[in-house]
Amino acid sequence: MDSSTTASVVAFVLYLVAMLVIGVWFMRQNDSVADFAIGGRRLGTFTATLSAKATDSSSWVFLGLPGAFYVSGMQNVWMIVGLTVGFYVSWRVVAGRLREHSELGFDWRSGQRSESVTLPAYLANRFHSDSLRLVSAVFIMLFYVVYLGSGLVATGLMFSQVFGVSNTTGILIGAGVVMLYSCLGGFLASSYTDVVQGILMFVSLAVVTVVALVSVGGPVALAQDIAGENPDLASPFVEVALDGGEWVSGSPVAVVAIVSALAWGLGYFGQPHILARFMGLRTAESTKGARRLGVFLSVTLLGFAGVIGMLAIAYFGPDLANPENAYAALVDALLPSWMVGIFLAGILAAIMSTADSQLVVAATTLSEDFYRAFVNRAATDRTLVRISRVTVILVSVVAVAIALRGGTVLGLVSYAWAGFGAVFGPVVLAALYSRRTTWRGALVGMLAGGLTVVVYPLVDTIGLYELVPGFAAGLLGVWAGNRLGPGPSAQVREQYDAVRVPATDTERVPAA
């Protein structure tokens, strides 16, 4: 075992131990399903924001995004713009309201105040419909096993490259690590490990960017090297592709491609693992600072990833065998051998920061929204926590099976991201801002959005990201469903009006 591999092993072992210690520590604080699902609403601004950003910045930030910039240059900047704007807007218009509505809502069966600790529970209590709980839980499980599978595929690639083991072995190891500390510590373990992982991701991307930039001679030299390969690589308006060992310019970037890239930002309104961070906030007022920090993190994390792809063009030319290895190749080429393992652990952090959040949400969905809602309404919190831990294992097993079937990391992520954004985004916005929305509107909206994401790729002929028609179909479905029957009952309207969101500058949009 050479020094680089030894450093990688040591870095991974230390990382694993740190994650498990956090899991064991927070295991003692999970006395209720609210603790396991949303941490008892104890997240501060910094933890919630960094956790949310680390959660959505999965392995594609280290693999897919640098690879995309390496292959086709600055035309990919539209995705960064869309994701940054979407992250900001979601914190501004969703976070505070969802925090208060989910805590100060009502159990529609008993008529008593009852906080909602999962997204399906919130929708069921908001609209007085168990049908919404069941349908939303089904969609969560469907898209989460795909999303989690993408992270495990990346884990297999990571372990194969660094440790020389098979993809299957890497998938099993990664699944075991995330499953164990998520099972032990639940939401708080997931959130605080995300803080560690987010810091590691930020430092890794920043240091590699600076070192590589110095290595190629600075910004001016970087621009000259890129222009020498193809000047259009620096333009966000021209299509460029790596073909036959050289970058070839094509036609101007189509409007459809720009819209598809920007549309990634719509996904933030419907991601259950990010919405759980909003529900877990200590106070609604903390969203102001959170959105500012979030924009900084989004611009820097995604920006560093894009710059790394461009630096790989200058450093390697067209000779990089696998574009998705741009970050890892620069780490291996530029850093001392004893540091390689530490910075490659940043990829593991990106993978696990998303996977752990998905496991916790999926587990609490099964325990709270299936078991307690439809099997045993008298189940105690301790019973639900135990069931949640068991379902973490079950979901991990299914995700491993999907990962072993193969697929690209970015492809699986984009599909699951579109699914959640289309299913829940329009409905969540309607639930928070329209007192006229009915359970029929919410149900039709979810079904229309979800089914469109599933069907549209089969008939698409223009290359439009399925989130765009899916989100539009969801909005149209809410509108149409509201007109299928009578409006919401007086009790539903009264309960909606009873929730008073603090009058901060994050909540100025009036309810319809």
Side-chain angles (χ1 to χ4, degrees), residues 181 259 353:
Y181 74 74
V259 170
S353 63

PDB file of all heavy atoms in Angstrom, residues 181 259 353:
ATOM      1  N   TYR A 181     -25.069   5.484  10.979  1.00  0.00           N
ATOM      2  CA  TYR A 181     -25.179   6.692  11.805  1.00  0.00           C
ATOM      3  C   TYR A 181     -26.536   7.358  11.630  1.00  0.00           C
ATOM      4  O   TYR A 181     -27.021   8.036  12.542  1.00  0.00           O
ATOM      5  CB  TYR A 181     -24.019   7.671  11.573  1.00  0.00           C
ATOM      6  CG  TYR A 181     -23.985   8.470  10.305  1.00  0.00           C
ATOM      7  CD1 TYR A 181     -24.841   9.535  10.087  1.00  0.00           C
ATOM      8  CD2 TYR A 181     -23.030   8.202   9.324  1.00  0.00           C
ATOM      9  CE1 TYR A 181     -24.775  10.286   8.941  1.00  0.00           C
ATOM     10  CE2 TYR A 181     -22.951   8.952   8.163  1.00  0.00           C
ATOM     11  CZ  TYR A 181     -23.827   9.992   7.980  1.00  0.00           C
ATOM     12  OH  TYR A 181     -23.750  10.737   6.832  1.00  0.00           O
ATOM     13  N   VAL A 259     -33.529  27.311 -20.376  1.00  0.00           N
ATOM     14  CA  VAL A 259     -34.698  27.139 -19.507  1.00  0.00           C
ATOM     15  C   VAL A 259     -34.555  25.872 -18.666  1.00  0.00           C
ATOM     16  O   VAL A 259     -34.857  25.874 -17.461  1.00  0.00           O
ATOM     17  CB  VAL A 259     -35.992  27.088 -20.348  1.00  0.00           C
ATOM     18  CG1 VAL A 259     -37.182  26.673 -19.486  1.00  0.00           C
ATOM     19  CG2 VAL A 259     -36.256  28.443 -20.992  1.00  0.00           C
ATOM     20  N   SER A 353     -23.718  13.364   2.846  1.00  0.00           N
ATOM     21  CA  SER A 353     -24.533  14.465   3.362  1.00  0.00           C
ATOM     22  C   SER A 353     -25.924  14.456   2.739  1.00  0.00           C
ATOM     23  O   SER A 353     -26.887  14.949   3.350  1.00  0.00           O
ATOM     24  CB  SER A 353     -23.852  15.809   3.092  1.00  0.00           C
ATOM     25  OG  SER A 353     -23.734  16.041   1.707  1.00  0.00           O
TER      26      SER A 353
END
